Amino acid sequence: MMNYWQQLKPRERMLVTVGGVIFSVLMLFVLVLEPLTEKVDTLTVSVEKQKAQVQWLKKTASEVKLLQKSGAGSGNSSQGQSLLVLVDRTSKSGKLGKSISRIEPDGSARVRVWLENAGFDDFTRWLAQLETKYNILVESAVVDKSDSTGRVNVRMVFVEGGK
């Protein structure tokens, strides 16, 4: 290698040296600086999203505190109705009426429900309504897909929230 370098004319040595320096600078940019700047850009976008999420959480937390102070959402809106009556009434008022195969009390604080070939979206809306409006929670559930697309078979136990 030294012999090859010595055989080069001074002008060729200068050209090889400048070419080596340019190549080294390009490799530094391509292998180090470019990936680094891409990562910084990605992290910057991620931080902005997280800041927006934190702001939303703070806003939501203050709304929750206001609702808790005003008493909204505490207890249930059952108006003295039993758990069994609420579960039965709400299931039949929605699109699940035909899917109910059985509803039975399980002691005084639980209700067992069997749904067959229920629409999954209708089922989840019903669960959300029971929890948010009536503070009725699912203690246990087994959800199996039905033969039809978007349909499920469900066995579950409901309890009143806070019990």
Side-chain angles (χ1 to χ4, degrees), residues 66-109:
L66 285 173
L67 288 173
Q68 286 175 339
K69 286 180 183 177
S70 70
S74 62
N76 64 22
S77 306
S78 63
Q79 301 157 346
Q81 297 179 26
S82 72
L83 180 60
L84 178 65
V85 170
L86 280 171
V87 170
D88 184 54
R89 182 174 50 83
T90 57
S91 67
K92 290 178 181 170
S93 67
K95 296 180 180 178
L96 292 174
K98 295 178 183 176
S99 301
I100 301 287
S101 66
R102 190 162 78 193
I103 298 178
E104 65 183 33
D106 183 11
S108 62

Side-chain angles (χ1 to χ4, degrees), residues 35 43 57 86 131 138:
L43 290 174
L57 286 171
L86 280 171
E131 184 175 347
V138 176

Side-chain angles (χ1 to χ4, degrees), residues 90 96 120-138 156 158:
T90 57
L96 292 174
F120 182 76
D121 293 338
D122 299 330
F123 165 66
T124 54
R125 273 192 288 277
W126 179 53
L127 290 180
Q129 176 192 16
L130 287 173
E131 184 175 347
T132 57
K133 191 171 181 182
Y134 300 105
N135 198 25
I136 296 174
L137 306 175
V138 176
M156 65 190 134
F158 288 107

Side-chain angles (χ1 to χ4, degrees), residues 6 27 32 70 72 121 132 141 146 155 157:
Q6 302 266 331
M27 292 309 289
V32 176
S70 70
D121 293 338
T132 57
S146 179
R155 294 182 314 273
V157 177

Side-chain angles (χ1 to χ4, degrees), residues 10-157:
R11 188 174 198 148
E12 291 172 336
R13 282 187 214 150
M14 179 65 90
L15 184 62
V16 169
T17 303
V18 169
V21 168
I22 290 173
F23 179 76
S24 298
V25 169
L26 281 174
M27 292 309 289
L28 176 72
F29 179 76
V30 169
L31 296 176
V32 176
L33 295 177
E34 180 64 22
L36 217 74
T37 56
E38 285 181 21
K39 186 66 174 175
V40 166
D41 291 344
T42 302
L43 290 174
T44 302
V45 168
S46 175
V47 165
E48 292 302 318
K49 286 181 182 178
Q50 289 177 355
K51 283 181 180 178
Q53 189 175 20
V54 165
Q55 292 230 334
W56 179 83
L57 286 171
K58 285 180 180 178
K59 178 185 169 197
T60 305
S62 64
E63 289 175 10
V64 167
K65 286 179 184 176
L66 285 173
L67 288 173
Q68 286 175 339
K69 286 180 183 177
S70 70
S74 62
N76 64 22
S77 306
S78 63
Q79 301 157 346
Q81 297 179 26
S82 72
L83 180 60
L84 178 65
V85 170
L86 280 171
V87 170
D88 184 54
R89 182 174 50 83
T90 57
S91 67
K92 290 178 181 170
S93 67
K95 296 180 180 178
L96 292 174
K98 295 178 183 176
S99 301
I100 301 287
S101 66
R102 190 162 78 193
I103 298 178
E104 65 183 33
D106 183 11
S108 62
R110 292 188 175 108
V111 172
R112 293 186 183 275
V113 178
W114 287 261
L115 301 172
E116 291 180 9
N117 203 28
F120 182 76
D121 293 338
D122 299 330
F123 165 66
T124 54
R125 273 192 288 277
W126 179 53
L127 290 180
Q129 176 192 16
L130 287 173
E131 184 175 347
T132 57
K133 191 171 181 182
Y134 300 105
N135 198 25
I136 296 174
L137 306 175
V138 176
E139 182 179 67
S140 64
V142 176
V143 180
D144 298 315
K145 68 178 183 176
S146 179
D147 294 333
S148 305
T149 304
R151 312 295 282 175
V152 291
N153 297 322
V154 183
R155 294 182 314 273
M156 65 190 134
V157 177

